[in-house]
Amino acid sequence: MGILGDEGLPVKGSVEYYVALAHRDRIIRGRHLAASNDQLFPLTFSGGNDTLRIPPLGHLHYAYVSVGTPSLSFLVALDTGSDLFWLPCDCKEGGCIRSLPFSSGQVLLLNIYSPNNSTTSETVSCTNSLCKHRCPSASSNCPYKVEYLSYNTSSTGILVEDVLHLITDDDQLRAVNTSITFGCGQSQTGTFLEGGAPNGLFGLGMDDLSVPNTLARNGVASNSFSMCFGHDELGRITFGNNGSSYQKETPFNVGQAHPTYNVSITQVAVGRNSSELGLSVIFDSGTSFTYLTDPVYTFISKSFNSQVQNKRTSFDSSFEYCYELSPTLNYEVPSVNLTMKGGDQYFVTSPTLVVDIEEGNVVYCLGLVKSEDISIIGRDYLSLYLYLLLYYEFKVLTNLFILIQKIS
């Protein structure tokens, strides 16, 4: 695929459109790579800081990452709800997806990583401090298996080390290459074989194994990252971004056995109704929608329902509160405002989702799903426009921006 001008791009919104945009940016930025220096600057992937949501691949945001020598490019899903970065690697039969078909009939071939094909790759032994799984012997390669919330979804393989290719996220675009530990995913199951994260998952969690922690440990970036999700399905990601002074704050809930980006909501307001009900929520870019437990779920949904004018309807979906849309597709909904621990307030800019349930029949739904156990604010509700800071503060901008920084 060559470099495309705007007039040469595929139809906007198609898989081909987003792949072409990212491919073009990757080539343009790659021309400007220069030698790195010893100063710490915000970093991003060597192909650029672009992220993209590809509708046929679910509600996740994706980015191109380059790994190994010679470098190979992978289209990975970005996930704040997990820690391990893994790539499809030396795949066992039926354990990986090797291509993506497009609606146009074209097929995008996906790279498969192999330690044997990279001169900078090394295996991770069971004596390595990052190896957390039981090993047959101390000299064995470190195995891993990660199971995810989606039904029967997992990645299994061994841990390896190799070079991650980055650049400074500034006008200079200097090359910064650093060794990281990641999963050589030999066998994937469930969603990973059905179109979700088919070419790897980039875990951005709090564990020592996550890439943000690794970059800080290697001394190439401060322990932080930022992600921006735009309304046009595009976004950006940067590592080592320290934020600014005007962001709002709330503390993380620390001391968990498995730390997550968990914060406390102390008050909820829906239009003219407000409540002192509180709950703890996890922010997870790898979860598509928002799941809330009672009594907060019931308060938000019933308060919302009492203030909308459209006729309520039902269809086979996870959303309980859906409404008919007029032919003009215009509708008004009450505001949804969350007050976080510490008193700062955050407005949900888009609490609803428009769903085309059949040709000519469009509805909108309150984008909440009732949960029986855990509350999660997912990617679509990250239109809260969040800015997370991982020195156990949580900071929010007004343009859908997540930054995480951990002070050691």
Side-chain angles (χ1 to χ4, degrees), residues 7 81 92 107 114 131 163 170 203 232 311 323 342 379 397:
E7 71 282 354
K92 297 179 180 179
V107 176
S114 176
C131 185
V163 172
D170 56 17
D232 58 358
K311 182 180 178 181
Y323 306 88
R379 197 215 66 85
L397 289 177

Side-chain angles (χ1 to χ4, degrees), residues 240-256:
N241 188 330
N242 293 323
S244 57
S245 59
Y246 59 82
Q247 293 154 354
K248 301 176 183 180
E249 301 181 9
T250 189
F252 277 113
N253 297 320
V254 297
Q256 310 163 68

Side-chain angles (χ1 to χ4, degrees), residues 108-303:
L108 174 67
L109 298 180
L110 300 175
N111 286 322
I112 303 297
Y113 178 82
S114 176
N116 294 331
N117 293 336
S118 174
T119 61
T120 48
S121 178
E122 296 181 6
T123 56
V124 174
S125 72
C126 287
T127 59
N128 191 298
S129 61
L130 294 176
C131 185
K132 306 290 180 64
H133 291 75
R134 181 177 298 177
C135 296
S137 68
S139 61
S140 300
N141 294 332
C142 179
Y144 82 86
K145 181 175 183 179
V146 181
E147 296 180 332
Y148 298 86
L149 291 178
S150 297
Y151 177 73
N152 195 33
T153 297
S154 66
S155 175
T156 304
I158 61 171
L159 295 185
V160 297
E161 292 181 359
D162 209 338
V163 172
L164 175 65
H165 300 279
L166 304 168
I167 57 172
T168 56
D169 195 17
D170 56 17
D171 294 336
Q172 301 301 312
L173 302 178
R174 292 179 292 273
V176 178
N177 300 324
T178 190
S179 179
I180 62 166
T181 299
F182 61 96
C184 167
Q186 299 165 333
S187 180
Q188 280 60 247
T189 63
T191 300
F192 298 138
L193 300 180
E194 299 167 359
N199 203 213
L201 190 71
F202 201 88
L204 292 162
M206 291 186 174
D207 189 80
D208 287 342
L209 196 58
S210 72
V211 172
N213 276 320
T214 301
L215 298 182
R217 193 164 54 247
N218 291 352
V220 298
S222 59
N223 200 354
S224 64
F225 71 92
S226 62
M227 280 200 299
C228 171
F229 302 122
H231 289 295
D232 58 358
E233 315 290 8
L234 302 178
R236 62 184 182 272
I237 184 168
T238 302
F239 301 97
N241 188 330
N242 293 323
S244 57
S245 59
Y246 59 82
Q247 293 154 354
K248 301 176 183 180
E249 301 181 9
T250 189
F252 277 113
N253 297 320
V254 297
Q256 310 163 68
H258 183 73
T260 57
Y261 301 127
N262 184 301
V263 300
S264 293
I265 296 173
T266 60
Q267 186 181 60
V268 180
V270 182
R272 58 180 178 268
N273 298 343
S274 64
S275 170
E276 300 294 329
L277 293 172
L279 80 164
S280 295
V281 296
I282 296 171
F283 288 95
D284 181 10
S285 67
T287 298
S288 299
F289 305 114
T290 290
Y291 300 79
L292 297 180
T293 56
D294 269 337
V296 173
Y297 170 82
T298 296
F299 172 78
I300 292 178
S301 56
K302 289 191 174 181
S303 296

